[in-house]
Amino acid sequence: MATMKHAVLRTGLETLYFTGGHVWLRPWLGGVGAILTLHHVRPRDAGDFRPNQLLEVTPRFLEAAIRRVRASGLDLVSLDEMHRRLATGEVGRRFACITFDDGYRDLLRHAYPILRKHEVPFAIYVPTSFPDRLGELWWLVLEIVIARNSRIGLVVDGKDRRYDCATLEDKRDLYESLYWWLRDLDTEEDLRNVVRDLAARYHVDIAQLCADLCMTWAELEELASDPLVTIGAHTVNHVRLAKVSADEARREMRMSASVIEAALGKRPRHLSYPVGDRTSAGPREFAIARELGFATAVTTRPGVLFPEHRKHLTALPRISLNGEYQKPRYVRVLVSGAATALWNGFRRVDAA
Ligand SMILES: [Zn+2]
């Protein structure tokens, strides 16, 4: 299902670009602005088995995207300014916000110099367990285990199962099926237990992986001192909030803001729901975020911003700039709102 939707979005992007549909639809669909989501920014890896490649773009693509957004006549603004424009209704020129989830170190090395050079405000949503070196990047643990082994054993639904994953095709298939099986487990704890078990069996050091990939508090502090940078909350343990109890969801959100405030001296006003799709954040989470006083909170539901989002500031959609749509010409189509309008069946606000 997810794959099919991606294919539709991709062909939609091509069609809209080549027919110019994104230009003539814009007055009706373009909204007032868009929030862009990024994760890793780094040169492309040579490996063939890269199931998480959709979470990365190259530095060149990032720079091209910034130029395209500005050439399309959009202001690049901070989350505070986005919030001000939506809340007051003084929306001004169309705008875009650039946001990064998770706080990977490649941002500092490959993205920050570009953002600095073009004076682009941007936000980083940090799960506090990552700089605390306790983060479990389970989607990468799964990738590493499958990449390094030709056969793996796993307890699935109480039974010991074995899977062959010697060839590239087997690895891709196995990743796809285990990833979605894990995502479908009833609780976040169930998912974490399977992945901890896999890591132990196949000698993947979860803490080391986190230390290798994620920024330290000192690195975050350096970035946070730049007026271009906004640090946002992204829970403590990067849990899919809809999969835990209301109390725990509240604790994850509140605690992450407190930890960031203690470490960096400023309480974050903005939140990003981990994973952020419909199965990870819904009306309950939107209400808790509002109740905890976050000015805005973002999902990964695809869409652009409309004046109506003023009433749904903790359920904002975003547009993913990712490895699957990594062509500069797509950026203009994406921010036009036409592609996500197709995806959403022309519904403007999706906060249910
Ligand atoms: Zn995340």
Side-chain angles (χ1 to χ4, degrees):
M1 174 61 193
T3 314
M4 199 179 83
K5 242 190 163 180
H6 280 289
V8 170
L9 185 50
R10 187 161 39 224
T11 12
L13 291 173
E14 286 287 2
T15 310
L16 285 164
Y17 181 81
F18 287 111
T19 59
H22 62 295
V23 177
W24 60 262
L25 285 170
R26 203 173 80 181
W28 294 279
L29 306 172
V32 294
I35 310 172
L36 306 176
T37 315
L38 293 113
H39 288 84
H40 294 280
V41 178
R42 58 192 176 198
R44 207 183 277 277
D45 191 285
D48 285 329
F49 177 58
R50 312 269 304 134
N52 286 296
Q53 204 185 335
L54 79 167
L55 297 178
E56 64 183 79
V57 301
T58 63
R60 239 179 108 165
F61 176 78
L62 174 65
E63 188 155 29
I66 291 168
R67 290 185 202 276
R68 292 260 172 166
V69 167
R70 286 211 166 127
S72 305
L74 276 74
D75 292 335
L76 281 163
V77 304
S78 67
L79 290 180
D80 279 344
E81 173 62 11
M82 179 267 292
H83 174 250
R84 191 194 68 77
R85 291 187 186 198
L86 281 180
T88 60
E90 295 165 21
V91 288
R93 289 214 309 179
R94 294 185 75 235
F95 59 86
C97 300
I98 293 189
T99 66
F100 294 86
D101 281 10
D102 303 345
Y104 296 112
R105 183 173 284 127
D106 50 57
L107 188 167
L108 194 58
R109 177 143 172 235
H110 297 294
Y112 185 49
I114 294 170
L115 294 156
R116 198 50 279 161
K117 177 173 130 196
H118 293 277
E119 294 184 51
V120 177
F122 64 100
I124 312 165
Y125 294 109
V126 181
T128 57
S129 63
F130 289 15
D132 278 340
R133 297 302 183 246
L134 298 167
E136 295 178 312
L137 291 83
W138 61 265
W139 54 98
L140 295 176
V141 173
L142 182 64
E143 176 180 329
I144 292 167
V145 169
I146 294 174
R148 286 185 192 159
N149 295 281
S150 52
R151 199 151 198 243
I152 64 168
L154 184 66
V155 180
V156 174
D157 304 326
K159 290 194 197 101
D160 240 310
R161 301 276 177 94
R162 308 230 138 246
Y163 300 95
D164 284 317
C165 49
T167 68
L168 178 61
E169 206 188 336
D170 286 346
K171 288 183 193 298
R172 285 182 179 153
D173 288 349
L174 184 59
Y175 186 89
E176 186 74 8
S177 61
L178 287 182
Y179 176 88
W180 289 106
W181 171 70
L182 286 165
R183 286 278 308 266
D184 282 345
L185 291 175
D186 289 341
T187 69
E188 182 74 15
E189 198 55 24
D190 289 344
L191 180 158
R192 299 298 174 108
N193 284 334
V194 173
V195 174
R196 283 171 201 148
D197 174 52
L198 265 182
R201 282 192 198 201
Y202 297 98
H203 315 290
V204 177
D205 186 337
I206 298 183
Q208 189 60 47
L209 181 65
C210 178
D212 289 345
L213 289 175
C214 302
M215 282 189 274
T216 61
W217 283 115
E219 287 166 329
L220 286 166
E221 198 174 1
E222 182 193 328
L223 281 175
S225 68
D226 185 329
L228 288 174
V229 179
T230 301
I231 304 288
H234 196 37
T235 76
V236 174
N237 294 302
H238 203 271
V239 294
R240 291 161 309 145
L241 295 164
K243 295 269 185 178
V244 300
S245 70
D247 280 350
E248 191 171 349
R250 187 174 289 108
R251 194 163 51 238
E252 280 279 345
M253 292 189 234
R254 185 197 287 134
M255 182 80 90
S256 67
S258 302
V259 173
I260 289 173
E261 183 178 13
L264 304 175
K266 196 174 163 196
R267 193 166 185 89
R269 302 180 65 229
H270 307 277
L271 170 86
S272 160
Y273 306 105
V275 185
D277 66 337
R278 194 171 287 283
T279 67
S280 313
R284 185 188 76 176
E285 288 67 40
F286 305 155
I288 296 173
R290 198 168 46 236
E291 177 197 311
L292 291 176
F294 286 105
T296 74
V298 294
T299 64
T300 55
R301 296 184 187 193
V304 295
L305 303 172
F306 291 97
E308 298 93 300
H309 281 109
R310 176 182 188 168
K311 294 202 183 83
H312 304 279
L313 290 170
T314 55
L316 299 177
R318 286 191 291 177
I319 287 171
S320 175
L321 286 192
N322 73 42
E324 290 193 325
Y325 316 121
Q326 210 169 152
K327 287 185 184 161
R329 66 167 180 261
Y330 287 170
V331 174
R332 210 169 209 160
V333 184
L334 283 168
V335 299
S336 76
T340 49
L342 289 178
W343 175 298
N344 290 323
F346 296 90
R347 185 175 43 181
R348 286 153 71 110
V349 171
D350 174 16

